Amino acid sequence: MQISSVNDVKIYNLSYGKSLPEWLSDRKKRQLQKKDVDIQRRIELIQDFEMPTVCHSIKVSRDGQYILAAGTYKPRIRCYDTYQLSLKFERCLDSDVVAFDVLSDDYSKLVFLHCDRYVEFHSQHGHYYKTRIPKFGRDFSYHYPSCDLYFVGTSSEVYRLNLEQGRFLNSLQTDAVEHNVCDINPVHHLFATGTSEGRVECWDPRVRTRVGLLDCALSSLTEGTEVQALPSISALKFNGSLTMAVGTSTGQVLLYDLRSSQPLLVKDHFYNLPIKSLNFHDQLDLVVSADSKIIKMWNKDTGKVFSSIQPQANINDVCIYPHSGMLFTANEDPKMNTFYIPALGPAPRWCSFLDNLTEELEESPESTVYDDYKFVTRKDLENLGLSHLVGSSLLRAYMHGFFMDIRLYHKVKNMVNPFAYEEYRKDKIRQKIEESRTQRVQMKTLPKVNKELALKLMEEGDDEAELAARKKKGKALPSILGDDRFKMMFENPDYQVDEQSEEFRLLNPIVSKVGQKRKKKLRLLAQQASASQQEAEEEDEAEGRASSEEESSDDDKSWVEEVREQRRLLQQEDRDRRRQERKDADRNTVLLEREQNGGEKTSNMADSKKKSQPEFYQIKAGEEFRSFNDVARKQKLQKASLEDRLKLEENSGTNNTADNAVGSKQLTFTLKKSEQQRKQQQAERDHHEERKKLRRSAGHLSSARGRGWGGRGRGRGRY
């Protein structure tokens, strides 16, 4: 079962899903039902509700118990019993059925119009009688008060067959060349027929005279409709005593009031396909019209679309089950579709369980994806400039992208690139011109894409052609340039080889050396082919081969060195790039700090301007140049020890600026110590002070003469 929603109207396709073959055993069917999810969800409302190949027409008996369908191949009629939900009987026929009708309340009286001009009658037990009409028939209607059958077809006459007398009566002579459809009003029994000239002729069966003529061809033309041929009448249906619906071969439906020659409403299907079926739904005042592609349900007063159904196969006929929301379709497919629309009415009595099933499904709705949405990724949104719509109701997240309305997508795409169609048109024209030029004399020209590669392939092709020409039986291999499988590589700019990429630079030495080897091998083979007739030169060629092997070994080493050199250059470029990135980052950081401190700098702008200008001072008596004093102090400082210099820098503070002779500045700074570091240093100083107090002095043991000499020398005592 498939669930779809059009205009918030739920439509249940009860025939959707896989059908099991008849020749499968019950055991195989049970196994498939356990494994296949689609078969498990399938609802087989009526068993074997299908035809071998195609179903042409389908009808429901007046008592609502039987459903009859005519199809092929072989031509047959099938009757289904709704009370048993299965096939009641099947009868094969001699030829295809063009139209059929049920004359009784049940299936006991059937009439079939065949494609070979035969009219066949069936009773409850089977075939009853068979007769023939003069011309090929297309449709017929039954007039209950007089028991007359009216046949229309490829003739200007309407044939009448009286079933009570069992004979043909005088025909109705019309002005039309051919007739396509006919119908009889159930209230006042007015007979109407639709012609191939786009007219509807109305006849009174009581006096057998024409009482009205409608020209529907001109009325069916609306604004913007392209006319290729004269519209003919393809469908006709009465509703009540005054309403009539007419379907044309160009896809329009016209609603008429029999008291007026102008249509009340014209509804276009916009498929330009003949209307095949017309039905009325009196409970909701709807018209159900169908062509081979779609079934449309719309209001007969306003023309507003109520809902629509678009099956997978082409439609041949549509039948609505009376006083319910179920309809059947005859398709160009073995399976006959069954649709249930709860909005049209309740389910029939014989399948009332569908109401409970649909109520349960509505309680747990499932998200559905429609064909009128476009899937886009984040990159597509950035290209279209719609990144700001992420999180809004216009985009619905799905997997790695979003779903958006196809109309919005096309509208934005046209705004972003309004000349897309013109570019596409120019490309097509250019392709057509190039295709026409292929018949002319071709010259060797390089393509626009991958010129270097094409030139290389052309040179290699010339070498191979030269080698093949020297050989008697040799054949050159086909060139890549002339192969259609690789033509996009020289036409599409996306296939352009980037010679500055890392992969190309690492692979190019290998490829170039392989190409050189190949050229050497081609030359060597050419020399061997030219010298094959001279036996004396074979030994010389063998020696040449040995030398070529030595050269190849040298080549192997050379391309390895080239690959290493390229790798080294790539690494160097990578380091330079990173260094440049760091410099750019530092520059951006400095600029950012300057922007943050912009307010402070603006306040001191006047002072900075003053400082930037040169100032002149008058030398007074007793003053000296400060810069010379600083130079002398720095020279003394350079002779001092590192400890003294560090102490001086610490005493000078965090910022120590000094002028040199050239005028540049020098900046030194110290980091601020944390509380823990200060406590640790204070503890160390206290410890050293404590150790100094406990230390015993050994100064009395020192001597001016050195170690071990004492006052008078070594080894002498005191007297």
Side-chain angles (χ1 to χ4, degrees):
M1 183 174 63
Q2 185 186 36
I3 306 173
S4 60
S5 178
V6 180
N7 290 342
D8 295 331
V9 177
K10 288 290 185 68
I11 301 173
Y12 298 88
N13 186 359
L14 304 178
S15 302
Y16 183 82
K18 298 179 180 179
S19 58
L20 297 176
E22 297 179 357
W23 45 267
L24 283 180
S25 61
D26 295 339
R27 183 178 180 183
K28 286 286 185 181
K29 290 181 180 179
R30 288 193 297 270
Q31 290 178 356
L32 288 175
Q33 289 177 356
K34 292 180 181 178
K35 297 179 181 179
D36 200 332
V37 180
D38 293 337
I39 297 177
Q40 291 177 2
R41 295 179 179 179
R42 181 174 58 96
I43 297 178
E44 192 172 6
L45 191 62
I46 301 175
Q47 286 186 348
D48 301 328
F49 195 64
E50 58 185 12
M51 283 287 171
T53 306
V54 175
C55 182
H56 296 306
S57 56
I58 185 170
K59 292 183 182 297
V60 178
S61 62
R62 279 185 284 179
D63 59 2
Q65 184 178 354
Y66 302 100
I67 302 172
L68 295 102
T72 191
Y73 178 81
K74 300 180 179 178
R76 67 192 67 205
I77 181 74
R78 284 186 173 181
C79 179
Y80 298 91
D81 190 350
T82 57
Y83 292 170
Q84 303 297 327
L85 298 178
S86 61
L87 179 66
K88 185 173 183 63
F89 65 84
E90 178 183 10
R91 297 174 186 172
C92 290
L93 307 172
D94 295 334
S95 58
D96 290 334
V97 176
V98 177
F100 79 97
D101 199 0
V102 184
L103 303 183
S104 60
D105 292 341
D106 54 2
Y107 67 92
S108 59
K109 293 180 182 180
L110 304 175
V111 182
F112 300 97
L113 175 62
H114 293 279
C115 62
D116 54 357
R117 296 191 289 139
Y118 276 100
V119 180
E120 189 172 353
F121 298 89
H122 281 224
S123 62
Q124 189 172 3
H125 62 82
H127 174 75
Y128 177 76
Y129 183 73
K130 192 174 186 180
T131 186
R132 204 171 190 183
I133 58 177
K135 297 289 185 177
F136 290 98
R138 293 177 178 173
D139 197 8
F140 70 92
S141 296
Y142 181 64
H143 187 241
Y144 284 93
S146 62
C147 298
D148 288 342
L149 278 173
Y150 290 84
F151 296 95
V152 298
T154 58
S155 174
S156 61
E157 297 179 349
V158 178
Y159 304 109
R160 294 192 303 151
L161 176 61
N162 188 275
L163 301 184
E164 184 180 8
Q165 301 178 18
R167 65 186 183 92
F168 282 95
L169 304 179
N170 293 333
S171 303
L172 303 179
Q173 186 64 39
T174 64
D175 297 336
V177 178
E178 293 179 350
H179 299 269
N180 295 329
V181 291
C182 63
D183 193 23
I184 294 179
N185 193 295
V187 180
H188 47 71
H189 305 290
L190 180 68
F191 174 73
T193 175
T195 66
S196 58
E197 291 84 5
R199 297 179 179 178
V200 175
E201 296 188 8
C202 299
W203 295 74
D204 190 353
R206 298 172 295 180
V207 295
R208 297 187 300 279
T209 58
R210 190 173 66 188
V211 296
L213 181 64
L214 283 175
D215 191 355
C216 302
L218 296 177
S219 301
S220 64
L221 299 178
T222 57
E223 295 182 1
T225 305
E226 296 181 0
V227 180
Q228 298 179 353
L230 184 66
S232 60
I233 306 302
S234 59
L236 189 65
K237 188 71 174 179
F238 281 104
N239 180 41
S241 58
L242 298 176
T243 306
M244 180 180 64
V246 179
T248 64
S249 59
T250 55
Q252 289 85 25
V253 180
L254 296 86
L255 284 181
Y256 281 94
D257 191 315
L258 294 180
R259 297 168 294 184
S260 174
S261 61
Q262 297 297 324
L264 301 175
L265 182 66
V266 178
K267 184 68 177 179
D268 198 342
H269 273 217
F270 298 105
Y271 278 96
N272 202 22
L273 296 173
I275 303 297
K276 292 195 172 184
S277 175
L278 288 172
N279 293 279
F280 287 90
H281 193 275
D282 297 329
Q283 287 79 7
L284 298 178
D285 292 335
L286 298 178
V287 179
V288 182
S289 57
D291 55 20
S292 60
K293 283 286 185 183
I294 194 170
I295 304 172
K296 288 193 175 183
M297 292 164 276
W298 43 279
N299 190 280
K300 68 178 182 180
D301 296 327
T302 61
K304 184 179 179 181
V305 176
F306 177 75
S307 185
S308 62
I309 303 173
Q310 191 167 1
Q312 296 179 350
N314 291 340
I315 303 169
N316 290 328
D317 192 15
V318 177
C319 176
I320 300 179
Y321 195 90
H323 310 291
S324 71
M326 182 173 289
L327 57 89
F328 306 100
T329 61
N331 313 308
E332 289 287 328
D333 192 69
K335 188 178 293 185
M336 294 178 286
N337 289 335
T338 304
F339 295 96
Y340 176 51
I341 308 174
L344 293 181
R349 184 176 57 182
W350 49 272
C351 58
S352 58
F353 61 89
L354 289 176
D355 291 330
N356 299 330
L357 181 62
T358 54
E359 289 177 1
E360 293 178 1
L361 292 176
E362 289 180 358
E363 291 178 358
S364 58
E366 297 181 359
S367 59
T368 56
V369 179
Y370 302 99
D371 294 336
D372 54 352
Y373 280 82
K374 173 71 175 177
F375 180 79
V376 292
T377 59
R378 285 187 178 271
K379 187 176 181 181
D380 297 336
L381 292 176
E382 292 176 358
N383 295 333
L384 295 174
L386 299 178
S387 302
H388 61 283
L389 295 181
V390 176
S392 64
S393 59
L394 297 176
L395 297 177
R396 182 171 182 178
Y398 184 76
M399 294 178 67
H400 63 285
F402 305 89
F403 273 112
M404 66 181 300
D405 197 315
I406 189 69
R407 295 171 295 179
L408 176 62
Y409 175 78
H410 287 307
K411 187 174 181 180
V412 175
K413 192 173 182 181
N414 292 333
M415 293 173 62
V416 172
N417 190 6
F419 304 103
Y421 176 74
E422 292 296 331
E423 295 175 359
Y424 171 78
R425 182 171 171 270
K426 290 180 182 179
D427 292 339
K428 284 295 182 182
I429 294 174
R430 192 181 301 109
Q431 291 178 5
K432 291 290 184 182
I433 295 174
E434 291 178 356
E435 289 177 359
S436 62
R437 287 176 179 174
T438 55
Q439 300 177 359
R440 305 177 185 176
V441 178
Q442 297 292 327
M443 298 179 64
K444 288 186 178 180
T445 57
L446 294 176
K448 297 181 180 179
V449 182
N450 291 327
K451 294 182 179 180
E452 295 80 4
L453 179 60
L455 182 61
K456 180 180 178 182
L457 294 174
M458 290 172 65
E459 292 176 355
E460 293 180 355
D462 294 339
D463 295 338
E464 292 181 355
E466 183 180 357
L467 178 61
R470 292 183 179 182
K471 293 185 179 180
K472 294 181 180 180
K473 298 182 180 180
K475 294 183 180 180
L477 296 175
S479 176
I480 296 180
L481 294 173
D483 198 337
D484 294 338
R485 297 174 297 175
F486 304 99
K487 65 179 182 179
M488 294 301 297
M489 188 169 60
F490 303 100
E491 296 177 359
N492 194 346
D494 296 336
Y495 291 93
Q496 178 66 42
V497 177
D498 187 9
E499 297 184 358
Q500 301 300 325
S501 62
E502 180 179 354
E503 294 80 2
F504 180 83
R505 293 176 62 179
L506 293 177
L507 189 62
N508 188 41
I510 304 174
V511 176
S512 61
K513 292 301 177 182
V514 171
Q516 292 177 5
K517 287 183 182 180
R518 191 161 172 266
K519 290 181 180 179
K520 289 181 180 179
K521 188 175 181 181
L522 288 173
R523 296 194 200 99
L524 182 61
L525 292 175
Q527 293 175 3
Q528 291 178 357
S530 61
S532 60
Q533 299 177 358
Q534 301 177 2
E535 297 179 356
E537 297 179 358
E538 289 183 357
E539 296 178 358
D540 298 338
E541 290 296 331
E543 294 177 359
R545 284 193 296 270
S547 62
S548 64
E549 291 176 359
E550 293 175 359
E551 291 176 0
S552 64
S553 63
D554 296 338
D555 292 340
D556 294 339
K557 296 179 181 179
S558 62
W559 72 258
V560 171
E561 294 296 332
E562 288 187 14
V563 171
R564 290 177 179 174
E565 181 66 19
Q566 290 293 335
R567 192 179 297 278
R568 187 186 64 79
L569 291 175
L570 288 172
Q571 293 176 356
Q572 181 65 27
E573 292 176 0
D574 190 17
R575 287 194 296 269
D576 295 341
R577 179 178 55 80
R578 293 179 180 176
R579 190 180 299 109
Q580 186 64 29
E581 289 178 356
R582 287 196 296 269
K583 289 182 179 180
D584 295 341
D586 295 341
R587 187 181 298 109
N588 294 334
T589 305
V590 172
L591 292 175
L592 183 61
E593 292 177 354
R594 289 179 179 177
E595 290 178 359
Q596 292 177 354
N597 299 328
E600 299 177 0
K601 289 186 177 181
T602 52
S603 62
N604 300 326
M605 186 64 70
D607 298 339
S608 62
K609 286 183 178 180
K610 292 180 179 179
K611 291 181 180 179
S612 61
Q613 296 178 357
E615 296 182 1
F616 300 94
Y617 297 94
Q618 184 179 2
I619 301 176
K620 297 180 180 180
E623 290 186 354
E624 296 180 358
F625 290 102
R626 181 184 174 187
S627 59
F628 294 110
N629 294 332
D630 293 340
V631 171
R633 184 174 57 83
K634 287 183 179 180
Q635 290 179 356
K636 292 181 181 180
L637 186 62
Q638 290 178 357
K639 295 180 181 180
S641 62
L642 177 61
E643 183 179 1
D644 297 337
R645 280 184 285 177
L646 291 176
K647 287 180 179 180
L648 290 174
E649 290 177 0
E650 289 180 359
N651 296 330
S652 62
T654 56
N655 294 328
N656 183 18
T657 58
D659 295 336
N660 54 14
V662 186
S664 62
K665 301 292 182 180
Q666 182 180 1
L667 178 67
T668 59
F669 59 92
T670 57
L671 297 176
K672 184 179 180 180
K673 298 178 182 180
S674 62
E675 186 68 23
Q676 185 177 1
Q677 291 178 350
R678 288 198 298 270
K679 289 182 179 180
Q680 185 176 359
Q681 291 180 358
Q682 184 64 31
E684 290 178 357
R685 285 195 294 269
D686 295 342
H687 177 69
H688 285 304
E689 293 295 333
E690 184 180 359
R691 295 293 297 173
K692 286 180 181 179
K693 292 178 181 180
L694 296 176
R695 188 176 59 179
R696 291 179 297 178
S697 176
H700 62 281
L701 299 177
S702 62
S703 174
R705 295 186 180 184
R707 182 179 178 183
W709 280 92
R712 296 183 177 90
R714 184 175 181 180
R716 294 182 181 181
R718 177 180 282 182
Y719 295 96

